[in-house]
Amino acid sequence: MKILALTGSNANNSFNEALLNFVSKHFADRYDFTAATVKGLPMYKENTEMTEEVSALAKNVEDADLVLIGSPEQQHSVTSALSSALEWLSSSVHPFKDKPVVIISTSPMPQGASRSQSRLKTLLSAPGFSARVFNGDEFMMGTAPKQFDENGDLKDKGTVKFLDHFFDEVDSWYAQVTK
């Protein structure tokens, strides 16, 4: 399965990017990952042509079998950078239509960006996107600065075990939605 691992942060040291990097490394023998980020994309502006970078992101979404979004939380919602990228991808092109999407998140706060996930699921289910959003177990990892070792690996074996379980559920769901 070809998975686009999309970082929804424009931070220089994004914990969600670190989480996606770990997932890509941990499941490298199970999936074919391509990394993408919203970092550096222009803010959405109505009646403006998409840039090459936005067009490339749209193509990456189209080419993926599944999009895995690492979604940080800002002000109890998705980041402005991710929101803007999604506006681009729901205006003149619609690469998320019927696309399986899975959301994971981490945060320095204990809640693990739970409100961002809820908001993002609502957005991606709306007309203009019409994505197929995974709603099984949720992977939200709090206290991000304490979770990674110096190699970018997750320290807690229980967290890794749950991540394995989570992706087993994702595989079962994916098989159902792509019949």
mmCIF file of all heavy atoms in Angstrom, residues 10-54:
data_model
loop_
_atom_site.group_PDB
_atom_site.id
_atom_site.type_symbol
_atom_site.label_atom_id
_atom_site.label_comp_id
_atom_site.label_asym_id
_atom_site.label_seq_id
_atom_site.Cartn_x
_atom_site.Cartn_y
_atom_site.Cartn_z
ATOM 1 N N ASN A 10 4.009 23.502 10.298
ATOM 2 C CA ASN A 10 5.085 24.256 9.658
ATOM 3 C C ASN A 10 6.197 24.577 10.660
ATOM 4 O O ASN A 10 7.048 25.410 10.394
ATOM 5 C CB ASN A 10 4.552 25.519 8.969
ATOM 6 C CG ASN A 10 3.914 26.493 9.932
ATOM 7 O OD1 ASN A 10 3.842 26.231 11.129
ATOM 8 N ND2 ASN A 10 3.436 27.606 9.423
ATOM 9 N N ALA A 11 6.200 23.904 11.790
ATOM 10 C CA ALA A 11 7.225 24.108 12.817
ATOM 11 C C ALA A 11 8.562 23.523 12.368
ATOM 12 O O ALA A 11 8.608 22.525 11.644
ATOM 13 C CB ALA A 11 6.801 23.461 14.124
ATOM 14 N N ASN A 12 9.636 24.147 12.810
ATOM 15 C CA ASN A 12 10.970 23.643 12.467
ATOM 16 C C ASN A 12 11.256 22.293 13.108
ATOM 17 O O ASN A 12 11.910 21.446 12.524
ATOM 18 C CB ASN A 12 12.040 24.654 12.879
ATOM 19 C CG ASN A 12 12.047 25.858 11.964
ATOM 20 O OD1 ASN A 12 11.681 25.769 10.801
ATOM 21 N ND2 ASN A 12 12.428 27.006 12.501
ATOM 22 N N ASN A 13 10.809 22.090 14.326
ATOM 23 C CA ASN A 13 11.029 20.826 15.032
ATOM 24 C C ASN A 13 9.682 20.229 15.398
ATOM 25 O O ASN A 13 9.303 20.177 16.558
ATOM 26 C CB ASN A 13 11.886 21.047 16.281
ATOM 27 C CG ASN A 13 13.270 21.528 15.923
ATOM 28 O OD1 ASN A 13 13.949 20.904 15.114
ATOM 29 N ND2 ASN A 13 13.692 22.648 16.493
ATOM 30 N N SER A 14 8.965 19.760 14.387
ATOM 31 C CA SER A 14 7.610 19.256 14.562
ATOM 32 C C SER A 14 7.603 17.867 15.197
ATOM 33 O O SER A 14 8.219 16.942 14.672
ATOM 34 C CB SER A 14 6.909 19.211 13.207
ATOM 35 O OG SER A 14 5.731 18.458 13.285
ATOM 36 N N PHE A 15 6.885 17.734 16.306
ATOM 37 C CA PHE A 15 6.720 16.423 16.921
ATOM 38 C C PHE A 15 5.887 15.507 16.033
ATOM 39 O O PHE A 15 6.091 14.298 16.016
ATOM 40 C CB PHE A 15 6.077 16.554 18.307
ATOM 41 C CG PHE A 15 6.971 17.208 19.317
ATOM 42 C CD1 PHE A 15 6.628 18.422 19.879
ATOM 43 C CD2 PHE A 15 8.164 16.615 19.698
ATOM 44 C CE1 PHE A 15 7.448 19.026 20.812
ATOM 45 C CE2 PHE A 15 8.995 17.211 20.635
ATOM 46 C CZ PHE A 15 8.634 18.420 21.191
ATOM 47 N N ASN A 16 4.931 16.080 15.299
ATOM 48 C CA ASN A 16 4.112 15.263 14.408
ATOM 49 C C ASN A 16 4.925 14.751 13.229
ATOM 50 O O ASN A 16 4.728 13.629 12.775
ATOM 51 C CB ASN A 16 2.864 16.026 13.964
ATOM 52 C CG ASN A 16 1.839 16.034 15.064
ATOM 53 O OD1 ASN A 16 1.091 15.080 15.208
ATOM 54 N ND2 ASN A 16 1.831 17.084 15.869
ATOM 55 N N GLU A 17 5.858 15.542 12.753
ATOM 56 C CA GLU A 17 6.766 15.060 11.712
ATOM 57 C C GLU A 17 7.641 13.935 12.271
ATOM 58 O O GLU A 17 7.869 12.930 11.600
ATOM 59 C CB GLU A 17 7.618 16.201 11.184
ATOM 60 C CG GLU A 17 8.497 15.814 10.020
ATOM 61 C CD GLU A 17 9.211 16.992 9.392
ATOM 62 O OE1 GLU A 17 9.322 18.068 10.025
ATOM 63 O OE2 GLU A 17 9.667 16.841 8.246
ATOM 64 N N ALA A 18 8.099 14.100 13.512
ATOM 65 C CA ALA A 18 8.897 13.044 14.148
ATOM 66 C C ALA A 18 8.077 11.766 14.293
ATOM 67 O O ALA A 18 8.584 10.662 14.061
ATOM 68 C CB ALA A 18 9.400 13.517 15.521
ATOM 69 N N LEU A 19 6.803 11.913 14.643
ATOM 70 C CA LEU A 19 5.933 10.745 14.764
ATOM 71 C C LEU A 19 5.748 10.060 13.406
ATOM 72 O O LEU A 19 5.852 8.832 13.297
ATOM 73 C CB LEU A 19 4.577 11.147 15.352
ATOM 74 C CG LEU A 19 3.535 10.035 15.496
ATOM 75 C CD1 LEU A 19 4.052 8.898 16.382
ATOM 76 C CD2 LEU A 19 2.240 10.621 16.051
ATOM 77 N N LEU A 20 5.500 10.841 12.370
ATOM 78 C CA LEU A 20 5.359 10.256 11.022
ATOM 79 C C LEU A 20 6.662 9.598 10.571
ATOM 80 O O LEU A 20 6.635 8.547 9.923
ATOM 81 C CB LEU A 20 4.920 11.314 10.021
ATOM 82 C CG LEU A 20 3.469 11.790 10.151
ATOM 83 C CD1 LEU A 20 3.202 12.948 9.209
ATOM 84 C CD2 LEU A 20 2.494 10.657 9.915
ATOM 85 N N ASN A 21 7.790 10.200 10.901
ATOM 86 C CA ASN A 21 9.085 9.594 10.558
ATOM 87 C C ASN A 21 9.250 8.244 11.255
ATOM 88 O O ASN A 21 9.724 7.275 10.653
ATOM 89 C CB ASN A 21 10.247 10.520 10.916
ATOM 90 C CG ASN A 21 10.346 11.706 9.993
ATOM 91 O OD1 ASN A 21 9.824 11.708 8.885
ATOM 92 N ND2 ASN A 21 11.005 12.763 10.453
ATOM 93 N N PHE A 22 8.851 8.194 12.538
ATOM 94 C CA PHE A 22 8.932 6.920 13.264
ATOM 95 C C PHE A 22 8.018 5.881 12.620
ATOM 96 O O PHE A 22 8.414 4.735 12.403
ATOM 97 C CB PHE A 22 8.582 7.081 14.748
ATOM 98 C CG PHE A 22 8.538 5.753 15.449
ATOM 99 C CD1 PHE A 22 9.707 5.122 15.840
ATOM 100 C CD2 PHE A 22 7.331 5.102 15.663
ATOM 101 C CE1 PHE A 22 9.679 3.867 16.440
ATOM 102 C CE2 PHE A 22 7.285 3.848 16.262
ATOM 103 C CZ PHE A 22 8.465 3.234 16.658
ATOM 104 N N VAL A 23 6.784 6.265 12.332
ATOM 105 C CA VAL A 23 5.822 5.349 11.709
ATOM 106 C C VAL A 23 6.376 4.837 10.382
ATOM 107 O O VAL A 23 6.313 3.638 10.092
ATOM 108 C CB VAL A 23 4.448 6.038 11.518
ATOM 109 C CG1 VAL A 23 3.541 5.237 10.597
ATOM 110 C CG2 VAL A 23 3.779 6.269 12.871
ATOM 111 N N SER A 24 6.932 5.734 9.572
ATOM 112 C CA SER A 24 7.492 5.340 8.271
ATOM 113 C C SER A 24 8.631 4.340 8.431
ATOM 114 O O SER A 24 8.741 3.380 7.654
ATOM 115 C CB SER A 24 7.985 6.570 7.514
ATOM 116 O OG SER A 24 6.920 7.437 7.230
ATOM 117 N N LYS A 25 9.461 4.549 9.427
ATOM 118 C CA LYS A 25 10.584 3.646 9.683
ATOM 119 C C LYS A 25 10.087 2.324 10.280
ATOM 120 O O LYS A 25 10.505 1.244 9.849
ATOM 121 C CB LYS A 25 11.577 4.335 10.623
ATOM 122 C CG LYS A 25 12.824 3.547 10.931
ATOM 123 C CD LYS A 25 13.876 4.361 11.672
ATOM 124 C CE LYS A 25 13.389 4.867 12.998
ATOM 125 N NZ LYS A 25 14.439 5.499 13.817
ATOM 126 N N HIS A 26 9.181 2.414 11.234
ATOM 127 C CA HIS A 26 8.680 1.235 11.941
ATOM 128 C C HIS A 26 7.915 0.285 11.010
ATOM 129 O O HIS A 26 7.993 -0.937 11.159
ATOM 130 C CB HIS A 26 7.778 1.687 13.102
ATOM 131 C CG HIS A 26 7.275 0.587 13.960
ATOM 132 N ND1 HIS A 26 8.088 -0.140 14.812
ATOM 133 C CD2 HIS A 26 6.028 0.065 14.105
ATOM 134 C CE1 HIS A 26 7.366 -1.043 15.442
ATOM 135 N NE2 HIS A 26 6.103 -0.941 15.033
ATOM 136 N N PHE A 27 7.184 0.851 10.055
ATOM 137 C CA PHE A 27 6.363 0.045 9.144
ATOM 138 C C PHE A 27 6.927 0.010 7.720
ATOM 139 O O PHE A 27 6.190 -0.260 6.769
ATOM 140 C CB PHE A 27 4.927 0.583 9.104
ATOM 141 C CG PHE A 27 4.185 0.433 10.407
ATOM 142 C CD1 PHE A 27 3.886 1.538 11.178
ATOM 143 C CD2 PHE A 27 3.789 -0.819 10.846
ATOM 144 C CE1 PHE A 27 3.196 1.407 12.367
ATOM 145 C CE2 PHE A 27 3.097 -0.958 12.038
ATOM 146 C CZ PHE A 27 2.802 0.154 12.809
ATOM 147 N N ALA A 28 8.223 0.233 7.574
ATOM 148 C CA ALA A 28 8.839 0.292 6.236
ATOM 149 C C ALA A 28 8.687 -1.006 5.453
ATOM 150 O O ALA A 28 8.598 -0.979 4.225
ATOM 151 C CB ALA A 28 10.315 0.664 6.358
ATOM 152 N N ASP A 29 8.632 -2.142 6.149
ATOM 153 C CA ASP A 29 8.482 -3.416 5.441
ATOM 154 C C ASP A 29 7.017 -3.748 5.140
ATOM 155 O O ASP A 29 6.735 -4.710 4.424
ATOM 156 C CB ASP A 29 9.113 -4.554 6.246
ATOM 157 C CG ASP A 29 8.482 -4.740 7.607
ATOM 158 O OD1 ASP A 29 7.824 -3.803 8.124
ATOM 159 O OD2 ASP A 29 8.642 -5.839 8.190
ATOM 160 N N ARG A 30 6.111 -2.932 5.631
ATOM 161 C CA ARG A 30 4.673 -3.187 5.474
ATOM 162 C C ARG A 30 4.004 -2.252 4.469
ATOM 163 O O ARG A 30 3.056 -2.637 3.803
ATOM 164 C CB ARG A 30 4.031 -3.017 6.854
ATOM 165 C CG ARG A 30 2.602 -3.408 6.985
ATOM 166 C CD ARG A 30 2.275 -3.492 8.462
ATOM 167 N NE ARG A 30 0.876 -3.549 8.759
ATOM 168 C CZ ARG A 30 0.395 -3.638 9.988
ATOM 169 N NH1 ARG A 30 1.219 -3.658 11.029
ATOM 170 N NH2 ARG A 30 -0.898 -3.690 10.199
ATOM 171 N N TYR A 31 4.522 -1.018 4.373
ATOM 172 C CA TYR A 31 3.942 -0.003 3.500
ATOM 173 C C TYR A 31 5.043 0.728 2.736
ATOM 174 O O TYR A 31 6.190 0.762 3.164
ATOM 175 C CB TYR A 31 3.162 1.051 4.299
ATOM 176 C CG TYR A 31 2.154 0.511 5.267
ATOM 177 C CD1 TYR A 31 2.360 0.609 6.634
ATOM 178 C CD2 TYR A 31 0.977 -0.081 4.826
ATOM 179 C CE1 TYR A 31 1.426 0.133 7.541
ATOM 180 C CE2 TYR A 31 0.036 -0.566 5.729
ATOM 181 C CZ TYR A 31 0.268 -0.454 7.084
ATOM 182 O OH TYR A 31 -0.658 -0.928 7.968
ATOM 183 N N ASP A 32 4.626 1.361 1.639
ATOM 184 C CA ASP A 32 5.517 2.209 0.847
ATOM 185 C C ASP A 32 5.163 3.661 1.167
ATOM 186 O O ASP A 32 4.109 4.148 0.756
ATOM 187 C CB ASP A 32 5.315 1.905 -0.636
ATOM 188 C CG ASP A 32 6.152 2.770 -1.546
ATOM 189 O OD1 ASP A 32 7.138 3.377 -1.068
ATOM 190 O OD2 ASP A 32 5.815 2.851 -2.741
ATOM 191 N N PHE A 33 6.011 4.335 1.928
ATOM 192 C CA PHE A 33 5.734 5.697 2.382
ATOM 193 C C PHE A 33 6.354 6.754 1.485
ATOM 194 O O PHE A 33 7.477 6.596 1.006
ATOM 195 C CB PHE A 33 6.289 5.924 3.798
ATOM 196 C CG PHE A 33 5.512 5.237 4.869
ATOM 197 C CD1 PHE A 33 5.907 3.995 5.343
ATOM 198 C CD2 PHE A 33 4.388 5.821 5.419
ATOM 199 C CE1 PHE A 33 5.202 3.353 6.343
ATOM 200 C CE2 PHE A 33 3.668 5.194 6.421
ATOM 201 C CZ PHE A 33 4.076 3.959 6.879
ATOM 202 N N THR A 34 5.620 7.847 1.298
ATOM 203 C CA THR A 34 6.127 9.073 0.709
ATOM 204 C C THR A 34 5.836 10.180 1.717
ATOM 205 O O THR A 34 4.718 10.265 2.237
ATOM 206 C CB THR A 34 5.410 9.396 -0.626
ATOM 207 O OG1 THR A 34 5.638 8.327 -1.545
ATOM 208 C CG2 THR A 34 5.910 10.700 -1.215
ATOM 209 N N ALA A 35 6.820 10.997 2.001
ATOM 210 C CA ALA A 35 6.644 12.082 2.968
ATOM 211 C C ALA A 35 6.269 13.375 2.250
ATOM 212 O O ALA A 35 6.749 13.655 1.146
ATOM 213 C CB ALA A 35 7.926 12.286 3.766
ATOM 214 N N ALA A 36 5.406 14.149 2.893
ATOM 215 C CA ALA A 36 5.023 15.477 2.394
ATOM 216 C C ALA A 36 4.747 16.360 3.601
ATOM 217 O O ALA A 36 4.505 15.870 4.709
ATOM 218 C CB ALA A 36 3.797 15.388 1.497
ATOM 219 N N THR A 37 4.779 17.650 3.364
ATOM 220 C CA THR A 37 4.541 18.602 4.443
ATOM 221 C C THR A 37 3.787 19.812 3.915
ATOM 222 O O THR A 37 3.847 20.107 2.716
ATOM 223 C CB THR A 37 5.872 19.050 5.092
ATOM 224 O OG1 THR A 37 5.585 19.940 6.181
ATOM 225 C CG2 THR A 37 6.780 19.743 4.092
ATOM 226 N N VAL A 38 3.104 20.476 4.822
ATOM 227 C CA VAL A 38 2.443 21.735 4.462
ATOM 228 C C VAL A 38 3.397 22.909 4.661
ATOM 229 O O VAL A 38 3.095 24.033 4.264
ATOM 230 C CB VAL A 38 1.148 21.955 5.280
ATOM 231 C CG1 VAL A 38 0.150 20.840 5.009
ATOM 232 C CG2 VAL A 38 1.434 22.098 6.767
ATOM 233 N N LYS A 39 4.539 22.631 5.246
ATOM 234 C CA LYS A 39 5.526 23.685 5.516
ATOM 235 C C LYS A 39 5.977 24.342 4.210
ATOM 236 O O LYS A 39 6.341 23.665 3.249
ATOM 237 C CB LYS A 39 6.733 23.088 6.229
ATOM 238 C CG LYS A 39 7.717 24.120 6.723
ATOM 239 C CD LYS A 39 8.819 23.456 7.508
ATOM 240 C CE LYS A 39 9.736 24.491 8.079
ATOM 241 N NZ LYS A 39 10.755 23.873 8.924
ATOM 242 N N GLY A 40 5.897 25.654 4.179
ATOM 243 C CA GLY A 40 6.357 26.403 3.012
ATOM 244 C C GLY A 40 5.298 26.635 1.951
ATOM 245 O O GLY A 40 5.553 27.357 0.984
ATOM 246 N N LEU A 41 4.124 26.024 2.109
ATOM 247 C CA LEU A 41 3.071 26.267 1.118
ATOM 248 C C LEU A 41 2.493 27.670 1.326
ATOM 249 O O LEU A 41 2.389 28.141 2.457
ATOM 250 C CB LEU A 41 1.948 25.239 1.248
ATOM 251 C CG LEU A 41 2.301 23.800 0.919
ATOM 252 C CD1 LEU A 41 1.083 22.897 1.124
ATOM 253 C CD2 LEU A 41 2.817 23.670 -0.495
ATOM 254 N N PRO A 42 2.099 28.318 0.249
ATOM 255 C CA PRO A 42 1.503 29.656 0.404
ATOM 256 C C PRO A 42 0.128 29.560 1.061
ATOM 257 O O PRO A 42 -0.554 28.526 0.957
ATOM 258 C CB PRO A 42 1.379 30.156 -1.040
ATOM 259 C CG PRO A 42 1.261 28.921 -1.856
ATOM 260 C CD PRO A 42 2.106 27.890 -1.151
ATOM 261 N N MET A 43 -0.262 30.619 1.744
ATOM 262 C CA MET A 43 -1.605 30.669 2.313
ATOM 263 C C MET A 43 -2.616 30.697 1.174
ATOM 264 O O MET A 43 -2.378 31.300 0.126
ATOM 265 C CB MET A 43 -1.778 31.912 3.189
ATOM 266 C CG MET A 43 -0.953 31.891 4.462
ATOM 267 S SD MET A 43 -1.342 30.513 5.564
ATOM 268 C CE MET A 43 -2.934 31.004 6.171
ATOM 269 N N TYR A 44 -3.732 30.038 1.378
ATOM 270 C CA TYR A 44 -4.784 29.989 0.375
ATOM 271 C C TYR A 44 -5.363 31.386 0.151
ATOM 272 O O TYR A 44 -5.567 32.149 1.090
ATOM 273 C CB TYR A 44 -5.899 29.041 0.814
ATOM 274 C CG TYR A 44 -7.070 29.051 -0.130
ATOM 275 C CD1 TYR A 44 -6.988 28.407 -1.357
ATOM 276 C CD2 TYR A 44 -8.240 29.729 0.184
ATOM 277 C CE1 TYR A 44 -8.047 28.420 -2.238
ATOM 278 C CE2 TYR A 44 -9.308 29.740 -0.689
ATOM 279 C CZ TYR A 44 -9.211 29.100 -1.900
ATOM 280 O OH TYR A 44 -10.255 29.125 -2.780
ATOM 281 N N LYS A 45 -5.606 31.700 -1.104
ATOM 282 C CA LYS A 45 -6.244 32.958 -1.461
ATOM 283 C C LYS A 45 -7.193 32.670 -2.610
ATOM 284 O O LYS A 45 -6.783 32.119 -3.637
ATOM 285 C CB LYS A 45 -5.197 34.003 -1.878
ATOM 286 C CG LYS A 45 -5.783 35.359 -2.161
ATOM 287 C CD LYS A 45 -4.689 36.365 -2.479
ATOM 288 C CE LYS A 45 -5.301 37.714 -2.785
ATOM 289 N NZ LYS A 45 -4.274 38.681 -3.169
ATOM 290 N N GLU A 46 -8.458 33.031 -2.420
ATOM 291 C CA GLU A 46 -9.464 32.778 -3.460
ATOM 292 C C GLU A 46 -9.070 33.402 -4.786
ATOM 293 O O GLU A 46 -8.426 34.449 -4.826
ATOM 294 C CB GLU A 46 -10.811 33.370 -3.032
ATOM 295 C CG GLU A 46 -11.708 32.387 -2.347
ATOM 296 C CD GLU A 46 -13.074 32.979 -2.080
ATOM 297 O OE1 GLU A 46 -13.151 33.869 -1.225
ATOM 298 O OE2 GLU A 46 -14.021 32.543 -2.737
ATOM 299 N N ASN A 47 -9.483 32.739 -5.861
ATOM 300 C CA ASN A 47 -9.263 33.220 -7.226
ATOM 301 C C ASN A 47 -7.790 33.402 -7.562
ATOM 302 O O ASN A 47 -7.425 34.310 -8.317
ATOM 303 C CB ASN A 47 -10.036 34.527 -7.472
ATOM 304 C CG ASN A 47 -11.518 34.345 -7.251
ATOM 305 O OD1 ASN A 47 -12.109 33.347 -7.680
ATOM 306 N ND2 ASN A 47 -12.127 35.286 -6.546
ATOM 307 N N THR A 48 -6.959 32.561 -6.966
ATOM 308 C CA THR A 48 -5.522 32.585 -7.236
ATOM 309 C C THR A 48 -5.119 31.220 -7.772
ATOM 310 O O THR A 48 -5.610 30.190 -7.308
ATOM 311 C CB THR A 48 -4.732 32.880 -5.936
ATOM 312 O OG1 THR A 48 -5.181 34.127 -5.408
ATOM 313 C CG2 THR A 48 -3.245 32.949 -6.193
ATOM 314 N N GLU A 49 -4.246 31.214 -8.753
ATOM 315 C CA GLU A 49 -3.749 29.955 -9.328
ATOM 316 C C GLU A 49 -2.950 29.180 -8.272
ATOM 317 O O GLU A 49 -2.215 29.769 -7.480
ATOM 318 C CB GLU A 49 -2.830 30.252 -10.515
ATOM 319 C CG GLU A 49 -3.527 30.862 -11.705
ATOM 320 C CD GLU A 49 -4.190 29.819 -12.585
ATOM 321 O OE1 GLU A 49 -3.644 28.707 -12.703
ATOM 322 O OE2 GLU A 49 -5.255 30.142 -13.138
ATOM 323 N N MET A 50 -3.091 27.865 -8.316
ATOM 324 C CA MET A 50 -2.281 27.030 -7.431
ATOM 325 C C MET A 50 -0.823 27.114 -7.837
ATOM 326 O O MET A 50 -0.515 27.164 -9.027
ATOM 327 C CB MET A 50 -2.722 25.564 -7.512
ATOM 328 C CG MET A 50 -3.989 25.262 -6.787
ATOM 329 S SD MET A 50 -4.296 23.494 -6.538
ATOM 330 C CE MET A 50 -3.720 22.726 -7.995
ATOM 331 N N THR A 51 0.043 27.108 -6.855
ATOM 332 C CA THR A 51 1.474 27.093 -7.135
ATOM 333 C C THR A 51 1.907 25.680 -7.501
ATOM 334 O O THR A 51 1.159 24.711 -7.307
ATOM 335 C CB THR A 51 2.272 27.559 -5.901
ATOM 336 O OG1 THR A 51 2.064 26.601 -4.844
ATOM 337 C CG2 THR A 51 1.852 28.947 -5.449
ATOM 338 N N GLU A 52 3.110 25.553 -7.994
ATOM 339 C CA GLU A 52 3.657 24.241 -8.330
ATOM 340 C C GLU A 52 3.722 23.341 -7.099
ATOM 341 O O GLU A 52 3.466 22.138 -7.192
ATOM 342 C CB GLU A 52 5.060 24.384 -8.941
ATOM 343 C CG GLU A 52 5.052 24.924 -10.351
ATOM 344 C CD GLU A 52 6.453 25.028 -10.933
ATOM 345 O OE1 GLU A 52 7.316 24.185 -10.586
ATOM 346 O OE2 GLU A 52 6.677 25.946 -11.742
ATOM 347 N N GLU A 53 4.058 23.929 -5.945
ATOM 348 C CA GLU A 53 4.166 23.146 -4.709
ATOM 349 C C GLU A 53 2.803 22.569 -4.304
ATOM 350 O O GLU A 53 2.710 21.416 -3.890
ATOM 351 C CB GLU A 53 4.726 23.994 -3.560
ATOM 352 C CG GLU A 53 6.144 24.476 -3.758
ATOM 353 C CD GLU A 53 6.235 25.784 -4.571
ATOM 354 O OE1 GLU A 53 5.198 26.360 -4.947
ATOM 355 O OE2 GLU A 53 7.371 26.223 -4.813
ATOM 356 N N VAL A 54 1.762 23.375 -4.432
ATOM 357 C CA VAL A 54 0.417 22.911 -4.089
ATOM 358 C C VAL A 54 -0.043 21.856 -5.093
ATOM 359 O O VAL A 54 -0.619 20.828 -4.718
ATOM 360 C CB VAL A 54 -0.579 24.082 -3.997
ATOM 361 C CG1 VAL A 54 -1.997 23.569 -3.783
ATOM 362 C CG2 VAL A 54 -0.184 25.050 -2.885
#
